[in-house]
Amino acid sequence: DGYVPPPLVGIWARYPYFHNNSAPNLCSVLSAGDARPATYYAGEANDRERDYDADCGGYPTGARVPPEWKNNPEYLYDTRRPGMGNRGHDEGILSKNGVELLSGDEKRDLIEFLKTL
């Protein structure tokens, strides 16, 4: 009974994350639900350096988003739409009673480890 998640092998290449693709990269997955981006752009990955965030393992966010992605409304993913939310998945795993369990360095180390699988 319940949800059987896929194996972690190659997880760095299977972005975006969560069952509804609501987390653009592993940095977002390892953040508290209320700290995850409400929107992100998911464009075509044609340029490895520009279209993929190697540090976070997934789509680039913020200032790193390619400008042409921002001009295409089809590339915008909005987690505020019904069924597209990215909250949860953190209590008891990444946080306890609202306090994060992993430091920034530990999160970066975990992402680097996941890249080796």
Side-chain angles (χ1 to χ4, degrees), residues 59-88:
Y59 285 115
T61 56
R64 296 197 56 216
V65 174
E68 62 271 16
W69 290 11
K70 292 179 180 181
N71 293 327
N72 188 335
E74 291 182 14
Y75 291 167
L76 180 63
Y77 189 100
D78 189 342
T79 68
R80 298 167 293 194
R81 292 178 37 218
M84 306 300 235
N86 63 4
R87 300 293 188 254

PDB file of all heavy atoms in Angstrom, residues 59-88:
ATOM      1  N   TYR A  59      16.535  22.625 -13.360  1.00  0.00           N
ATOM      2  CA  TYR A  59      16.313  23.883 -14.079  1.00  0.00           C
ATOM      3  C   TYR A  59      16.955  25.048 -13.332  1.00  0.00           C
ATOM      4  O   TYR A  59      16.888  25.126 -12.105  1.00  0.00           O
ATOM      5  CB  TYR A  59      14.819  24.168 -14.224  1.00  0.00           C
ATOM      6  CG  TYR A  59      14.140  23.315 -15.253  1.00  0.00           C
ATOM      7  CD1 TYR A  59      13.159  22.404 -14.890  1.00  0.00           C
ATOM      8  CD2 TYR A  59      14.472  23.417 -16.604  1.00  0.00           C
ATOM      9  CE1 TYR A  59      12.532  21.614 -15.834  1.00  0.00           C
ATOM     10  CE2 TYR A  59      13.854  22.634 -17.553  1.00  0.00           C
ATOM     11  CZ  TYR A  59      12.878  21.736 -17.168  1.00  0.00           C
ATOM     12  OH  TYR A  59      12.268  20.965 -18.113  1.00  0.00           O
ATOM     13  N   PRO A  60      17.547  25.996 -14.065  1.00  0.00           N
ATOM     14  CA  PRO A  60      18.050  27.205 -13.422  1.00  0.00           C
ATOM     15  C   PRO A  60      16.878  28.064 -12.945  1.00  0.00           C
ATOM     16  O   PRO A  60      15.796  28.033 -13.539  1.00  0.00           O
ATOM     17  CB  PRO A  60      18.835  27.899 -14.540  1.00  0.00           C
ATOM     18  CG  PRO A  60      18.273  27.368 -15.810  1.00  0.00           C
ATOM     19  CD  PRO A  60      17.766  25.990 -15.509  1.00  0.00           C
ATOM     20  N   THR A  61      17.099  28.800 -11.885  1.00  0.00           N
ATOM     21  CA  THR A  61      16.062  29.684 -11.338  1.00  0.00           C
ATOM     22  C   THR A  61      16.645  31.079 -11.140  1.00  0.00           C
ATOM     23  O   THR A  61      17.848  31.284 -11.251  1.00  0.00           O
ATOM     24  CB  THR A  61      15.518  29.146  -9.996  1.00  0.00           C
ATOM     25  OG1 THR A  61      16.602  28.981  -9.085  1.00  0.00           O
ATOM     26  CG2 THR A  61      14.800  27.818 -10.178  1.00  0.00           C
ATOM     27  N   GLY A  62      15.763  32.024 -10.855  1.00  0.00           N
ATOM     28  CA  GLY A  62      16.192  33.394 -10.584  1.00  0.00           C
ATOM     29  C   GLY A  62      16.881  34.034 -11.765  1.00  0.00           C
ATOM     30  O   GLY A  62      16.442  33.902 -12.906  1.00  0.00           O
ATOM     31  N   ALA A  63      17.998  34.684 -11.513  1.00  0.00           N
ATOM     32  CA  ALA A  63      18.731  35.417 -12.547  1.00  0.00           C
ATOM     33  C   ALA A  63      19.369  34.504 -13.585  1.00  0.00           C
ATOM     34  O   ALA A  63      19.761  34.960 -14.654  1.00  0.00           O
ATOM     35  CB  ALA A  63      19.804  36.292 -11.903  1.00  0.00           C
ATOM     36  N   ARG A  64      19.457  33.216 -13.297  1.00  0.00           N
ATOM     37  CA  ARG A  64      20.107  32.273 -14.229  1.00  0.00           C
ATOM     38  C   ARG A  64      19.160  31.756 -15.318  1.00  0.00           C
ATOM     39  O   ARG A  64      19.575  31.047 -16.212  1.00  0.00           O
ATOM     40  CB  ARG A  64      20.682  31.096 -13.449  1.00  0.00           C
ATOM     41  CG  ARG A  64      21.786  31.551 -12.486  1.00  0.00           C
ATOM     42  CD  ARG A  64      22.655  30.446 -11.987  1.00  0.00           C
ATOM     43  NE  ARG A  64      23.250  29.732 -13.107  1.00  0.00           N
ATOM     44  CZ  ARG A  64      23.467  28.419 -13.102  1.00  0.00           C
ATOM     45  NH1 ARG A  64      23.125  27.698 -12.069  1.00  0.00           N
ATOM     46  NH2 ARG A  64      24.021  27.829 -14.148  1.00  0.00           N
ATOM     47  N   VAL A  65      17.879  32.105 -15.249  1.00  0.00           N
ATOM     48  CA  VAL A  65      16.911  31.640 -16.251  1.00  0.00           C
ATOM     49  C   VAL A  65      17.215  32.301 -17.594  1.00  0.00           C
ATOM     50  O   VAL A  65      17.338  33.525 -17.675  1.00  0.00           O
ATOM     51  CB  VAL A  65      15.462  31.980 -15.816  1.00  0.00           C
ATOM     52  CG1 VAL A  65      14.463  31.627 -16.911  1.00  0.00           C
ATOM     53  CG2 VAL A  65      15.111  31.265 -14.523  1.00  0.00           C
ATOM     54  N   PRO A  66      17.349  31.509 -18.669  1.00  0.00           N
ATOM     55  CA  PRO A  66      17.584  32.103 -19.986  1.00  0.00           C
ATOM     56  C   PRO A  66      16.460  33.079 -20.367  1.00  0.00           C
ATOM     57  O   PRO A  66      15.279  32.770 -20.178  1.00  0.00           O
ATOM     58  CB  PRO A  66      17.590  30.891 -20.928  1.00  0.00           C
ATOM     59  CG  PRO A  66      17.980  29.737 -20.058  1.00  0.00           C
ATOM     60  CD  PRO A  66      17.348  30.037 -18.721  1.00  0.00           C
ATOM     61  N   PRO A  67      16.803  34.246 -20.883  1.00  0.00           N
ATOM     62  CA  PRO A  67      15.792  35.265 -21.211  1.00  0.00           C
ATOM     63  C   PRO A  67      14.696  34.762 -22.152  1.00  0.00           C
ATOM     64  O   PRO A  67      13.531  35.126 -21.989  1.00  0.00           O
ATOM     65  CB  PRO A  67      16.597  36.387 -21.859  1.00  0.00           C
ATOM     66  CG  PRO A  67      17.982  36.196 -21.372  1.00  0.00           C
ATOM     67  CD  PRO A  67      18.155  34.722 -21.147  1.00  0.00           C
ATOM     68  N   GLU A  68      15.048  33.924 -23.131  1.00  0.00           N
ATOM     69  CA  GLU A  68      14.020  33.456 -24.068  1.00  0.00           C
ATOM     70  C   GLU A  68      12.992  32.556 -23.383  1.00  0.00           C
ATOM     71  O   GLU A  68      11.858  32.468 -23.836  1.00  0.00           O
ATOM     72  CB  GLU A  68      14.642  32.765 -25.289  1.00  0.00           C
ATOM     73  CG  GLU A  68      15.442  31.531 -25.001  1.00  0.00           C
ATOM     74  CD  GLU A  68      16.917  31.810 -24.710  1.00  0.00           C
ATOM     75  OE1 GLU A  68      17.283  32.960 -24.435  1.00  0.00           O
ATOM     76  OE2 GLU A  68      17.693  30.847 -24.739  1.00  0.00           O
ATOM     77  N   TRP A  69      13.360  31.902 -22.308  1.00  0.00           N
ATOM     78  CA  TRP A  69      12.376  31.114 -21.559  1.00  0.00           C
ATOM     79  C   TRP A  69      11.327  32.033 -20.946  1.00  0.00           C
ATOM     80  O   TRP A  69      10.154  31.707 -20.910  1.00  0.00           O
ATOM     81  CB  TRP A  69      13.048  30.311 -20.459  1.00  0.00           C
ATOM     82  CG  TRP A  69      13.909  29.177 -20.918  1.00  0.00           C
ATOM     83  CD1 TRP A  69      14.326  28.893 -22.189  1.00  0.00           C
ATOM     84  CD2 TRP A  69      14.465  28.166 -20.090  1.00  0.00           C
ATOM     85  NE1 TRP A  69      15.112  27.775 -22.195  1.00  0.00           N
ATOM     86  CE2 TRP A  69      15.222  27.307 -20.918  1.00  0.00           C
ATOM     87  CE3 TRP A  69      14.427  27.915 -18.732  1.00  0.00           C
ATOM     88  CZ2 TRP A  69      15.911  26.203 -20.423  1.00  0.00           C
ATOM     89  CZ3 TRP A  69      15.118  26.816 -18.238  1.00  0.00           C
ATOM     90  CH2 TRP A  69      15.844  25.972 -19.087  1.00  0.00           C
ATOM     91  N   LYS A  70      11.785  33.167 -20.434  1.00  0.00           N
ATOM     92  CA  LYS A  70      10.871  34.110 -19.790  1.00  0.00           C
ATOM     93  C   LYS A  70       9.879  34.716 -20.782  1.00  0.00           C
ATOM     94  O   LYS A  70       8.819  35.182 -20.390  1.00  0.00           O
ATOM     95  CB  LYS A  70      11.654  35.224 -19.097  1.00  0.00           C
ATOM     96  CG  LYS A  70      12.450  34.728 -17.912  1.00  0.00           C
ATOM     97  CD  LYS A  70      13.223  35.866 -17.281  1.00  0.00           C
ATOM     98  CE  LYS A  70      14.028  35.392 -16.099  1.00  0.00           C
ATOM     99  NZ  LYS A  70      14.759  36.493 -15.464  1.00  0.00           N
ATOM    100  N   ASN A  71      10.214  34.695 -22.052  1.00  0.00           N
ATOM    101  CA  ASN A  71       9.337  35.248 -23.084  1.00  0.00           C
ATOM    102  C   ASN A  71       8.327  34.244 -23.604  1.00  0.00           C
ATOM    103  O   ASN A  71       7.487  34.597 -24.434  1.00  0.00           O
ATOM    104  CB  ASN A  71      10.178  35.781 -24.254  1.00  0.00           C
ATOM    105  CG  ASN A  71      11.010  36.970 -23.859  1.00  0.00           C
ATOM    106  OD1 ASN A  71      10.602  37.767 -23.019  1.00  0.00           O
ATOM    107  ND2 ASN A  71      12.181  37.095 -24.436  1.00  0.00           N
ATOM    108  N   ASN A  72       8.393  33.009 -23.152  1.00  0.00           N
ATOM    109  CA  ASN A  72       7.476  31.978 -23.621  1.00  0.00           C
ATOM    110  C   ASN A  72       6.565  31.547 -22.462  1.00  0.00           C
ATOM    111  O   ASN A  72       7.006  30.843 -21.558  1.00  0.00           O
ATOM    112  CB  ASN A  72       8.249  30.782 -24.158  1.00  0.00           C
ATOM    113  CG  ASN A  72       7.352  29.768 -24.829  1.00  0.00           C
ATOM    114  OD1 ASN A  72       6.164  29.677 -24.526  1.00  0.00           O
ATOM    115  ND2 ASN A  72       7.921  28.984 -25.730  1.00  0.00           N
ATOM    116  N   PRO A  73       5.299  31.943 -22.466  1.00  0.00           N
ATOM    117  CA  PRO A  73       4.403  31.608 -21.359  1.00  0.00           C
ATOM    118  C   PRO A  73       4.208  30.098 -21.163  1.00  0.00           C
ATOM    119  O   PRO A  73       3.862  29.660 -20.076  1.00  0.00           O
ATOM    120  CB  PRO A  73       3.089  32.296 -21.718  1.00  0.00           C
ATOM    121  CG  PRO A  73       3.184  32.629 -23.160  1.00  0.00           C
ATOM    122  CD  PRO A  73       4.635  32.719 -23.503  1.00  0.00           C
ATOM    123  N   GLU A  74       4.470  29.312 -22.203  1.00  0.00           N
ATOM    124  CA  GLU A  74       4.344  27.856 -22.068  1.00  0.00           C
ATOM    125  C   GLU A  74       5.423  27.272 -21.179  1.00  0.00           C
ATOM    126  O   GLU A  74       5.278  26.161 -20.661  1.00  0.00           O
ATOM    127  CB  GLU A  74       4.394  27.196 -23.444  1.00  0.00           C
ATOM    128  CG  GLU A  74       3.175  27.497 -24.282  1.00  0.00           C
ATOM    129  CD  GLU A  74       3.206  26.799 -25.624  1.00  0.00           C
ATOM    130  OE1 GLU A  74       4.035  25.876 -25.815  1.00  0.00           O
ATOM    131  OE2 GLU A  74       2.409  27.178 -26.495  1.00  0.00           O
ATOM    132  N   TYR A  75       6.518  27.993 -20.959  1.00  0.00           N
ATOM    133  CA  TYR A  75       7.612  27.512 -20.126  1.00  0.00           C
ATOM    134  C   TYR A  75       7.410  27.828 -18.647  1.00  0.00           C
ATOM    135  O   TYR A  75       8.175  27.361 -17.812  1.00  0.00           O
ATOM    136  CB  TYR A  75       8.937  28.111 -20.580  1.00  0.00           C
ATOM    137  CG  TYR A  75       9.437  27.611 -21.919  1.00  0.00           C
ATOM    138  CD1 TYR A  75      10.480  28.267 -22.556  1.00  0.00           C
ATOM    139  CD2 TYR A  75       8.899  26.501 -22.543  1.00  0.00           C
ATOM    140  CE1 TYR A  75      10.965  27.825 -23.779  1.00  0.00           C
ATOM    141  CE2 TYR A  75       9.376  26.053 -23.764  1.00  0.00           C
ATOM    142  CZ  TYR A  75      10.407  26.718 -24.368  1.00  0.00           C
ATOM    143  OH  TYR A  75      10.891  26.274 -25.565  1.00  0.00           O
ATOM    144  N   LEU A  76       6.420  28.628 -18.316  1.00  0.00           N
ATOM    145  CA  LEU A  76       6.187  29.023 -16.919  1.00  0.00           C
ATOM    146  C   LEU A  76       5.416  27.940 -16.180  1.00  0.00           C
ATOM    147  O   LEU A  76       4.336  27.526 -16.592  1.00  0.00           O
ATOM    148  CB  LEU A  76       5.405  30.332 -16.857  1.00  0.00           C
ATOM    149  CG  LEU A  76       5.098  30.840 -15.442  1.00  0.00           C
ATOM    150  CD1 LEU A  76       6.377  31.163 -14.690  1.00  0.00           C
ATOM    151  CD2 LEU A  76       4.175  32.039 -15.504  1.00  0.00           C
ATOM    152  N   TYR A  77       5.975  27.488 -15.065  1.00  0.00           N
ATOM    153  CA  TYR A  77       5.300  26.532 -14.193  1.00  0.00           C
ATOM    154  C   TYR A  77       4.893  27.295 -12.933  1.00  0.00           C
ATOM    155  O   TYR A  77       5.741  27.880 -12.260  1.00  0.00           O
ATOM    156  CB  TYR A  77       6.231  25.367 -13.822  1.00  0.00           C
ATOM    157  CG  TYR A  77       5.515  24.252 -13.101  1.00  0.00           C
ATOM    158  CD1 TYR A  77       5.118  23.115 -13.773  1.00  0.00           C
ATOM    159  CD2 TYR A  77       5.210  24.351 -11.746  1.00  0.00           C
ATOM    160  CE1 TYR A  77       4.443  22.089 -13.129  1.00  0.00           C
ATOM    161  CE2 TYR A  77       4.536  23.342 -11.096  1.00  0.00           C
ATOM    162  CZ  TYR A  77       4.162  22.219 -11.788  1.00  0.00           C
ATOM    163  OH  TYR A  77       3.488  21.215 -11.151  1.00  0.00           O
ATOM    164  N   ASP A  78       3.618  27.310 -12.621  1.00  0.00           N
ATOM    165  CA  ASP A  78       3.095  28.078 -11.494  1.00  0.00           C
ATOM    166  C   ASP A  78       2.527  27.111 -10.458  1.00  0.00           C
ATOM    167  O   ASP A  78       1.489  26.494 -10.678  1.00  0.00           O
ATOM    168  CB  ASP A  78       2.016  29.042 -11.977  1.00  0.00           C
ATOM    169  CG  ASP A  78       1.579  30.019 -10.919  1.00  0.00           C
ATOM    170  OD1 ASP A  78       1.832  29.779  -9.718  1.00  0.00           O
ATOM    171  OD2 ASP A  78       0.972  31.041 -11.289  1.00  0.00           O
ATOM    172  N   THR A  79       3.210  26.984  -9.330  1.00  0.00           N
ATOM    173  CA  THR A  79       2.786  26.036  -8.292  1.00  0.00           C
ATOM    174  C   THR A  79       1.548  26.499  -7.540  1.00  0.00           C
ATOM    175  O   THR A  79       1.006  25.747  -6.731  1.00  0.00           O
ATOM    176  CB  THR A  79       3.913  25.794  -7.272  1.00  0.00           C
ATOM    177  OG1 THR A  79       4.138  26.985  -6.515  1.00  0.00           O
ATOM    178  CG2 THR A  79       5.189  25.357  -7.952  1.00  0.00           C
ATOM    179  N   ARG A  80       1.083  27.711  -7.804  1.00  0.00           N
ATOM    180  CA  ARG A  80      -0.116  28.212  -7.122  1.00  0.00           C
ATOM    181  C   ARG A  80      -1.402  27.725  -7.781  1.00  0.00           C
ATOM    182  O   ARG A  80      -2.482  27.888  -7.220  1.00  0.00           O
ATOM    183  CB  ARG A  80      -0.082  29.742  -7.082  1.00  0.00           C
ATOM    184  CG  ARG A  80       1.122  30.267  -6.284  1.00  0.00           C
ATOM    185  CD  ARG A  80       1.334  31.722  -6.488  1.00  0.00           C
ATOM    186  NE  ARG A  80       1.736  31.957  -7.873  1.00  0.00           N
ATOM    187  CZ  ARG A  80       2.258  33.081  -8.335  1.00  0.00           C
ATOM    188  NH1 ARG A  80       2.441  34.092  -7.517  1.00  0.00           N
ATOM    189  NH2 ARG A  80       2.598  33.218  -9.592  1.00  0.00           N
ATOM    190  N   ARG A  81      -1.287  27.115  -8.947  1.00  0.00           N
ATOM    191  CA  ARG A  81      -2.465  26.571  -9.627  1.00  0.00           C
ATOM    192  C   ARG A  81      -2.922  25.303  -8.910  1.00  0.00           C
ATOM    193  O   ARG A  81      -2.103  24.554  -8.363  1.00  0.00           O
ATOM    194  CB  ARG A  81      -2.123  26.261 -11.088  1.00  0.00           C
ATOM    195  CG  ARG A  81      -1.872  27.534 -11.885  1.00  0.00           C
ATOM    196  CD  ARG A  81      -1.481  27.308 -13.335  1.00  0.00           C
ATOM    197  NE  ARG A  81      -2.161  26.203 -13.958  1.00  0.00           N
ATOM    198  CZ  ARG A  81      -1.585  25.365 -14.822  1.00  0.00           C
ATOM    199  NH1 ARG A  81      -0.320  25.517 -15.150  1.00  0.00           N
ATOM    200  NH2 ARG A  81      -2.265  24.392 -15.350  1.00  0.00           N
ATOM    201  N   PRO A  82      -4.205  25.016  -8.905  1.00  0.00           N
ATOM    202  CA  PRO A  82      -4.712  23.808  -8.239  1.00  0.00           C
ATOM    203  C   PRO A  82      -4.019  22.541  -8.754  1.00  0.00           C
ATOM    204  O   PRO A  82      -3.857  22.359  -9.960  1.00  0.00           O
ATOM    205  CB  PRO A  82      -6.201  23.800  -8.592  1.00  0.00           C
ATOM    206  CG  PRO A  82      -6.533  25.240  -8.863  1.00  0.00           C
ATOM    207  CD  PRO A  82      -5.295  25.825  -9.487  1.00  0.00           C
ATOM    208  N   GLY A  83      -3.580  21.717  -7.835  1.00  0.00           N
ATOM    209  CA  GLY A  83      -2.931  20.461  -8.174  1.00  0.00           C
ATOM    210  C   GLY A  83      -1.463  20.581  -8.529  1.00  0.00           C
ATOM    211  O   GLY A  83      -0.804  19.583  -8.791  1.00  0.00           O
ATOM    212  N   MET A  84      -0.941  21.793  -8.540  1.00  0.00           N
ATOM    213  CA  MET A  84       0.448  22.013  -8.935  1.00  0.00           C
ATOM    214  C   MET A  84       1.335  22.426  -7.757  1.00  0.00           C
ATOM    215  O   MET A  84       2.477  22.819  -7.952  1.00  0.00           O
ATOM    216  CB  MET A  84       0.525  23.100 -10.013  1.00  0.00           C
ATOM    217  CG  MET A  84      -0.357  22.839 -11.206  1.00  0.00           C
ATOM    218  SD  MET A  84       0.077  21.317 -12.024  1.00  0.00           S
ATOM    219  CE  MET A  84       0.355  21.912 -13.657  1.00  0.00           C
ATOM    220  N   GLY A  85       0.825  22.352  -6.537  1.00  0.00           N
ATOM    221  CA  GLY A  85       1.545  22.833  -5.363  1.00  0.00           C
ATOM    222  C   GLY A  85       2.831  22.088  -5.066  1.00  0.00           C
ATOM    223  O   GLY A  85       3.000  20.928  -5.432  1.00  0.00           O
ATOM    224  N   ASN A  86       3.740  22.776  -4.382  1.00  0.00           N
ATOM    225  CA  ASN A  86       5.017  22.172  -4.012  1.00  0.00           C
ATOM    226  C   ASN A  86       5.267  22.221  -2.506  1.00  0.00           C
ATOM    227  O   ASN A  86       6.391  22.121  -2.053  1.00  0.00           O
ATOM    228  CB  ASN A  86       6.166  22.844  -4.762  1.00  0.00           C
ATOM    229  CG  ASN A  86       6.340  24.311  -4.427  1.00  0.00           C
ATOM    230  OD1 ASN A  86       5.656  24.857  -3.575  1.00  0.00           O
ATOM    231  ND2 ASN A  86       7.249  24.966  -5.115  1.00  0.00           N
ATOM    232  N   ARG A  87       4.219  22.364  -1.741  1.00  0.00           N
ATOM    233  CA  ARG A  87       4.352  22.379  -0.277  1.00  0.00           C
ATOM    234  C   ARG A  87       4.394  20.949   0.241  1.00  0.00           C
ATOM    235  O   ARG A  87       4.037  20.003  -0.436  1.00  0.00           O
ATOM    236  CB  ARG A  87       3.188  23.133   0.359  1.00  0.00           C
ATOM    237  CG  ARG A  87       3.078  24.572  -0.073  1.00  0.00           C
ATOM    238  CD  ARG A  87       4.268  25.373   0.461  1.00  0.00           C
ATOM    239  NE  ARG A  87       4.107  26.787   0.219  1.00  0.00           N
ATOM    240  CZ  ARG A  87       4.784  27.448  -0.707  1.00  0.00           C
ATOM    241  NH1 ARG A  87       5.628  26.828  -1.486  1.00  0.00           N
ATOM    242  NH2 ARG A  87       4.613  28.731  -0.860  1.00  0.00           N
ATOM    243  N   GLY A  88       4.827  20.824   1.485  1.00  0.00           N
ATOM    244  CA  GLY A  88       4.909  19.496   2.083  1.00  0.00           C
ATOM    245  C   GLY A  88       6.200  18.803   1.711  1.00  0.00           C
ATOM    246  O   GLY A  88       7.141  19.421   1.235  1.00  0.00           O
TER     247      GLY A  88
END
